[in-house]
Structure formats: structure tokens, C-alpha cells
Amino acid sequence: MPTAIKLRDDWKAPLLPVLQGQSMAKLRGFLQAELTAGKIIYPPMDQIFAAFDATALAQVKVVILGQDPYPGTGQAHGLSFSVPPGIAVPRSLKNIYQELKLDLGIAPSRSGNLMAWAKQGVLLLNAVLTVEANQINSHKGRGWEQFTDAVIDLINESIPHAVFMLWGKQAQEKGARVDSSRHLVLKAPHPSPMSAHQGFFGCGHFRRANDYLIEHQRGPINWQLPIEA
């Protein structure tokens, strides 16, 4: 991890206390040691904060909270559930596309790149921002959680009428800190193939999010992605 935190200023300034805190210092040491030991870490170091680069703090309308980055080669690029152009659509994202079709009649994209959502104010945030190649949850408990808790707190306190989509137990536990009297908190099972049929399909979160954003004069998200990107 670079010594200098490359985070855009609108996020960096309010998050400075946690960025300069002990948990992040330990995290930097851990990541440096892993890289020195020859471990492969995803996403690439310059893409760790890509979600924040793509979505300005003041523009946040929706937060989609994931667990940790995809651990496969070339998959992770700093946005939860998203993959770069040219990478096969992961199974969880295929299920998200299926729910989009059920909910809004939107045909699934053949691309897994969700940057078009991020640019509209959808913060695609993972609870943990790095992972060792092919080792799911390998960087859990190393310090990212304190940082992403601070991100959630910042949005909770400073952004009016945001929508939090909490899919799965881990996201719901982390999202418990959100004030549901100020924001719309939507909960469903994770879109993973193991749990999508237990209530993710049919949850209607995309329509409900837009209804809420329109009601509060924040403008809806265009969930339609290019069929190919």
C-alpha cells in the first residue's frame, strides 16, 4: 500500500482521523509485508480506492455494500460486485442482473462493469478493500473494517436520504449503524448462488430505491447498463 493515501479530498478530509489512526497504520504494515513476501493482492494498489474516485461524497445516493474483492485474476477493480470490461460476469452479479430484470425489466448486460452506476452516485463499497489472490476473506480483521465503518458513519451523518442496500448477513451487521429514520435501509439475502433463491430474487430493491430517491427530490438512478461495455 502506498505510504501516501491516494484518496480524493472530499473523502479524505473528513476521514483523516481514521486514516491517521492505529488500525490503518497496522493495515499498511500488513499489506507491505504481504507484498514483500511475494503475495498477490487484489485489486491493484492504485485501484483500492476506485469506488471513492468514481463517486464523490456529496453525490452519494445509494450504497451497495459487498464483503471483499473478487479473488480471481483480473476481477477486482475497486468497486463491489463489479469487474473490468472483458472479464466474465461473476455468478453473484449475474443474479443481480436477474433481479434487475425481474424488478425493472432491464435486460442483463454482457459486461460486469458497474462504473455507470458509480458515476451516478452508487457507492460500490466493500467492507474489506483488499484480498489475497484466490483466498476469500483473507484480509478480514486487518483494519479495513474500521475505515469502512467510518465511511458508513460519514454518509449516515452528512448525506440526506441515502439508500443502503444490505445483501447478506455480513452487510446487514455492518449496516446496523445506519439511522433508518434518516435513510432507506433495504435488506435481502446475498445474491450468491447459494442464497439468492432465499429472498434476493423478488426483493425489488432497485425500484424501491428509485421511488425513495424521487420522493426525496434526489433523482433516480438509471440502472440500465450498456448491453456490452
Side-chain angles (χ1 to χ4, degrees), residues 168-187:
K169 184 181 176 185
Q170 287 193 29
Q172 288 163 22
E173 288 174 351
K174 194 170 184 70
R177 58 204 307 116
V178 178
D179 183 352
S180 57
S181 69
R182 288 172 46 86
H183 306 284
L184 178 62
V185 179
L186 300 174
K187 300 178 183 180

Side-chain angles (χ1 to χ4, degrees), residues 79-152:
L79 309 177
S80 64
F81 294 103
S82 179
V83 293
I87 299 295
V89 179
R91 291 179 297 169
S92 291
L93 185 53
K94 284 183 178 179
N95 287 338
I96 291 171
Y97 287 172
Q98 186 172 335
E99 172 55 23
L100 258 180
K101 187 174 182 181
L102 288 170
D103 192 16
L104 297 174
I106 292 174
S109 174
R110 286 188 282 272
S111 167
N113 185 7
L114 304 182
M115 184 61 75
W117 291 358
K119 288 180 177 177
Q120 295 179 73
V122 180
L123 183 66
L124 296 164
L125 178 68
N126 279 314
V128 173
L129 301 190
T130 55
V131 70
E132 183 183 341
N134 304 314
Q135 301 291 329
I136 293 170
N137 268 337
S138 51
H139 291 184
K140 184 178 180 181
R142 294 293 185 170
W144 280 124
E145 291 88 350
Q146 289 86 342
F147 172 74
T148 51
D149 279 351
V151 170
I152 291 170

Side-chain angles (χ1 to χ4, degrees), residues 8 12 18 31 81 94 107 117 121 128 176 193 228:
R8 52 183 292 162
K12 184 176 179 179
V18 69
L31 291 174
F81 294 103
K94 284 183 178 179
W117 291 358
V128 173
E228 298 198 49

